[in-house]
DNA sequence: CTTTATTATGCTCAAATTGAGTATAAATCC
DNA sequence: GGATTTATACTCAATTTGAGCATAATAAAG
C-alpha cells in the first residue's frame, strides 16, 4: 500500500503573536492581496531538515521576518486541513496535483507591537468577546436570535448554545471563545463558512472581521488558551514592560479577558502570590502616583503555580 | 526555493489510550519485535485524502485495529521528530533517502480494557509518579541523588530540579509528569536517552520500563494533561461504567493522580457540583452497601466547569 | 490656595469554601 | 454475636472570596 504517496503533507507553522496596545489586545497580521482583502496570521513552512523542533523553526522565521522579541511561545493545536480551501496555485512548483497542508498553530506573546498597522485588534474579529462595557449589543441584536433559530428544536444544538453562549440561563464563560466561534461557523454566521462553501449566501451581518483560511479559528484557540492560562500561570508579565504599575497589569489582564476586575481583590491576589516586587520608583501620571513594580522571576517557579485568580466584577450589581 | 522537497513529511497519529484496571491506570501498548522488546504506543499514519480531520483519522484506526469504544479524545501535542531515531527501513517502499515523521499525540479514554496483556500499567513506566503508598523509594534512592549530582552548581538546573521534583524544599506537584521525565531524559537517567545516543553508557538503574521512540514522552504528556484536566473537568466519568459507587470514582481518581484523597471532602465536591445522581440501586460488596450513582450528562455543560477539586490527603499527618 | 477630579492604596466584613476530623450506620466474615 | 469493613452524616476552625468603605496623594481647575 503506497503509503508515502498519499500520506505526505506539508507543515505550516502559524502564529498568533499577541501583544497589548493601550487597552486593546492585538495580534500580528499580514495583509491579503486577494480579492477579499482579509488579513491572515503570519505563517511559514516547517523544514524538518533544518530545525530540530518545530518551536525552533517557528522562532526562527518570526525573528527573521518580524524582528520581534517573543519570549513566551506555546503550541496550540494542529489542524489537519479542515476547512482550508486550497485556493490559488499554492506555489507554481507544485509537483503533486494538490499538496495537503497541516498547520500547527502557536501562541506567542510579545511585549512590544511596533508598526501599529500590522497589528489587528482582537475584538474587531470577535466583537462579542469584549464585555468590558457590558454585554455586547451584537449578541442580542444579531448572534443569539440567529443561533436560536438555527438550533430550532434540536436538543444537541440547544445544549451547545447553552454551553457556549450561556443562553438562555447560564453565565457567560470567557474561556469558551473557540466553542462560540465554531458554533457560529457551523451555523453559517461567519464569513469563513461562506468562503469554505458551507454556506450558499454571503451572510449579511458583519460578525467581526474575517481572516484567511482557518486563521480566525486559530486566533480563537489562542484567545481561549490565553484567557485560561492567565488564571493559573503568571503569563501576563510576558506582555508587560520591565517595570509597571499594578493598574497596568490589571488593565492588560482585563483586555485579554474582556472583562472588568475588582481592583482591590486583584491586588490582593498579586500580593498573596508574591508575583511582583517594588522597584522603589513611582510612576507619574494623572492622579496619585503609583508604585512601580517588577515581576519576580522566581515566582514562575513557585510550585503552586499562582496565576491571577479572577476576582471579576459583576456588571449588573456594580456601579462603574 | 524548492520548498515542497525539503518540507514534505509523513504524519503519524500516536495515541495514549488510557483506562483504569482495578486501582491501576493502564495504557494500550503494542509489543516490539526488535532486540530491545520495548513496548510502544499504537499509532497509524494520517491520510489527508481519506479523513477530513486528524481526529477522525485517529478514531478510525483505533476502531479498526482495537475495536475499542473510546469516547473522549483530545489532541495532546505535535512532536517534530526530535529524538526519534529513524531506525529500520521504515517501509521498504521509501522513495526518499529518509522521510521525516511528525507525530501528533492524542489522549483517549476507554471505559474497558479487554486483553489485559496488551495494557501496560502507567506506574511501571513511571514508578516515581505513584505516591499512593507514600513517597516512592526510587526518588530518594536513585533519582534525586543522581539529578543533584547532575545539576551540580548550575543555577538553571537546580531551579528546574526544584520546580519539577520539588527538591529540596517545595511540594511535589502531581501535574509535572512531563517536566520530570524531560529532566530525567536530559540527565541521561532514562533508557531512551541512551537509545537516542545522548548518553554513552546504558544506565544501570532501571528507572521505569522504557518505550519505543518518544512514546514515553507522549505518555508523560498524557498523564500531565489528564491529571490537570481531572481537576477542572468531569472527565473521570469517561473511565467509569454507567453506574458506579462514589468510592469507585474516588479510587479511579486516585489512581490517575497517584495520590490519596480525603474521602468525605471528595464526596462533598461531587455533591456540590451535582455531577452524579443516584440510580436508586445499591452495590453489594464487602462492608456496608454503597449507593449506585450515574453521571449527570448535563453536568458536562455546567458553565462553571466543575471537575473534582482535589481535597488531597497529606501523607505525613494522616493515619491511613 | 482651595476645590475638584483622579488615581492609589489600606482596611473591613460577611459569605463561601477548604482541610481535617469525629460519629454513626449497615453490611459481611467467622 | 462480635470483629471487620465500608458508607455516610455532620462539625468546626482556618482560609479564601466577593464586595465594599475610607483615606491618601497627586494634578488640573477656578
Amino acid at each position: 500500500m503506497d503509503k508515502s504517496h498519499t500520506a505526505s503533507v506539508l507543515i505550516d507553522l502559524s502564529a498568533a503573536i499577541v501583544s497589548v496596545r493601550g487597552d486593546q489586545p492585538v495580534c500580528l497580521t499580514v495583509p491579503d492581496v486577494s480579492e477579499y482583502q482579509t488579513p491572515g496570521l503570519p505563517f511559514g513552512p516547517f523544514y524538518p531538515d533544518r530545525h530540530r523542533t518545530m518551536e525552533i523553526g517557528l522562532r526562527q522565521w518570526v525573528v527573521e521576518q518580524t524582528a520581534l522579541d517573543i519570549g513566551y511561545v506555546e503550541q496550540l493545536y494542529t489542524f489537519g486541513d479542515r476547512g482550508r480551501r486550497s485556493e490559488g496555485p499554492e506555489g507554481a512548483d507544485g509537483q503533486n496535483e494538490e499538496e495537503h497542508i497541516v498547520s500547527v498553530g502557536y501562541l506567542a506573546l510579545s511585549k512590544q507591537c511596533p508598526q501599529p498597522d500590522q497589528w489587528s485588534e482582537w475584538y474587531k474579529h470577535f466583537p462579542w468577546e469584549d464585555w468590558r462595557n457590558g454585554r455586547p449589543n451584537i449578541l442580542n441584536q444579531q448572534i443569539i436570535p440567529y443561533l436560536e433559530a438555527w438550533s430550532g428544536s434540536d436538543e444537541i444544538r440547544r445544549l451547545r448554545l447553552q454551553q457556549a453562549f450561556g443562553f438562555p440561563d447560564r453565565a457567560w464563560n470567557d474561556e469558551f471563545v473557540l466553542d462560540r466561534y465554531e458554533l457560529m461557523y457551523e451555523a453559517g454566521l461567519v464569513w469563513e463558512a461562506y468562503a469554505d462553501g458551507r454556506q450558499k449566501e454571503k451572510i449579511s451581518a458583519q460578525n467581526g472581521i474575517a481572516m484567511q483560511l482557518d486563521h480566525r479559528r486559530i486566533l480563537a484557540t489562542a484567545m481561549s488558551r490565553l484567557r485560561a492560562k492567565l488564571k493559573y500561570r503568571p503569563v501576563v508579565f510576558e506582555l508587560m514592560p520591565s517595570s509597571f504599575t499594578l493598574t497596568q497589569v490589571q488593565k492588560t489582564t482585563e483586555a485579554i479577558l474582556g472583562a472588568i476586575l475588582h481592583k482591590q481583590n486583584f491586588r490582593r491576589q498579586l500580593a498573596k502570590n508574591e508575583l511582583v516586587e517594588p522597584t522603589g520608583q513611582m510612576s507619574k501620571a494623572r492622579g496619585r502616583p503609583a508604585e512601580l513594580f517588577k515581576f519576580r522571576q522566581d515566582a514562575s517557579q513557585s510550585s503552586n503555580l499562582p496565576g491571577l485568580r479572577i476576582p471579576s466584577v459583576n456588571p449588573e450589581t456594580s456601579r462603574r
Side-chain angles (χ1 to χ4, degrees), chain A:
Chain A
M1 55 174 214
D2 63 340
K3 134 180 158 181
S4 55
H5 183 277
T6 145
S8 185
V9 302
L10 296 181
I11 300 217
D12 259 359
L13 305 176
S14 311
I17 303 176
V18 172
S19 189
V20 173
R21 183 174 58 218
D23 64 347
Q24 292 298 328
V26 291
C27 178
L28 187 62
T29 53
V30 293
D32 176 26
V33 288
S34 82
E35 65 171 311
Y36 296 115
Q37 305 219 2
T38 50
L41 296 180
F43 63 92
F46 169 56
Y47 300 110
D49 290 327
R50 258 182 261 167
H51 302 294
R52 199 165 47 82
T53 71
M54 295 191 297
E55 189 179 312
I56 292 175
L58 176 88
R59 292 195 112 101
Q60 174 112 28
W61 71 247
V62 169
V63 167
E64 279 171 7
Q65 296 183 17
T66 72
L68 275 178
D69 172 32
I70 50 172
Y72 185 84
V73 169
E74 172 183 343
Q75 192 187 100
L76 286 174
Y77 203 81
T78 300
F79 304 86
D81 51 9
R82 161 161 80 143
R84 288 205 138 208
R85 304 147 287 157
S86 47
E87 41 155 33
E90 173 59 57
D93 60 336
Q95 54 187 36
N96 301 19
E97 335 69 334
E98 186 183 323
E99 190 84 57
H100 281 281
I101 297 179
V102 164
S103 71
V104 183
Y106 277 84
L107 163 66
L109 303 181
S110 165
K111 289 176 200 282
Q112 337 90 34
C113 44
Q115 292 138 314
D117 50 309
Q118 295 188 16
W119 295 81
S120 192
E121 295 180 4
W122 277 13
Y123 301 124
K124 294 206 166 151
H125 303 284
F126 296 90
W128 56 90
E129 294 292 346
D130 187 1
W131 284 57
R132 285 176 294 176
N133 297 309
R135 184 182 176 91
N137 289 329
I138 195 174
L139 276 169
N140 291 341
Q141 284 166 15
Q142 303 275 351
I143 299 173
I144 295 286
Y146 192 105
L147 284 177
E148 208 191 354
W150 169 79
S151 59
S153 59
D154 183 328
E155 197 49 46
I156 306 270
R157 288 184 175 183
R158 295 199 90 87
L159 267 173
R160 291 183 61 200
L161 180 53
Q162 184 182 53
Q163 139 92 357
F165 285 86
F167 178 83
D169 61 352
R170 291 195 185 273
W172 179 266
N173 187 315
D174 58 42
E175 294 179 22
F176 296 165
V177 184
L178 181 61
D179 308 64
R180 287 186 281 268
Y181 177 74
E182 301 220 304
L183 207 61
M184 290 175 68
Y185 178 90
E186 283 181 48
L189 254 178
V190 294
W191 184 86
E192 287 88 338
Y194 163 76
D196 293 352
R198 292 181 53 95
Q199 176 82 355
K200 291 279 163 39
E201 310 143 46
K202 191 138 89 179
I203 180 94
S204 55
Q206 187 76 349
N207 288 319
I209 298 175
M211 298 180 96
Q212 284 169 43
L213 304 171
D214 58 351
H215 290 183
R216 197 148 51 140
R217 184 191 310 277
I218 297 179
L219 179 54
T221 310
M223 290 169 67
S224 290
R225 193 76 136 256
L226 187 51
R227 284 182 171 185
K229 199 122 202 174
L230 224 49
K231 292 163 196 163
Y232 62 94
R233 284 288 163 89
V235 281
V236 227
F237 302 104
E238 300 287 345
L239 295 166
M240 307 298 301
S242 58
S243 99
F244 44 78
T245 68
L246 298 187
T247 299
Q248 282 165 6
V249 184
Q250 184 176 347
K251 290 294 177 204
T252 303
T253 308
E254 290 176 338
I256 289 165
L257 295 180
I260 296 296
L261 307 180
H262 184 286
K263 190 167 183 169
Q264 295 88 331
N265 294 348
F266 182 85
R267 284 147 179 262
R268 182 168 57 188
Q269 287 300 327
L270 286 178
K272 192 189 62 167
N273 295 320
E274 300 179 295
L275 291 176
V276 294
E277 63 186 346
T279 63
Q281 294 178 296
M282 302 296 273
S283 80
K284 37 173 177 267
R286 197 82 71 80
R288 169 173 171 178
E291 206 170 352
L292 282 172
F293 291 83
K294 61 182 175 184
F295 179 49
R296 283 190 60 229
Q297 273 305 337
D298 47 330
S300 54
Q301 252 63 37
S302 170
S303 106
N304 244 359
L305 29 151
L308 308 164
R309 280 288 180 66
I310 26 142
S312 172
V313 148
N314 183 337
E316 309 303 310
T317 65
S318 75
R319 319 147 293 171
R320 311 223 11 260

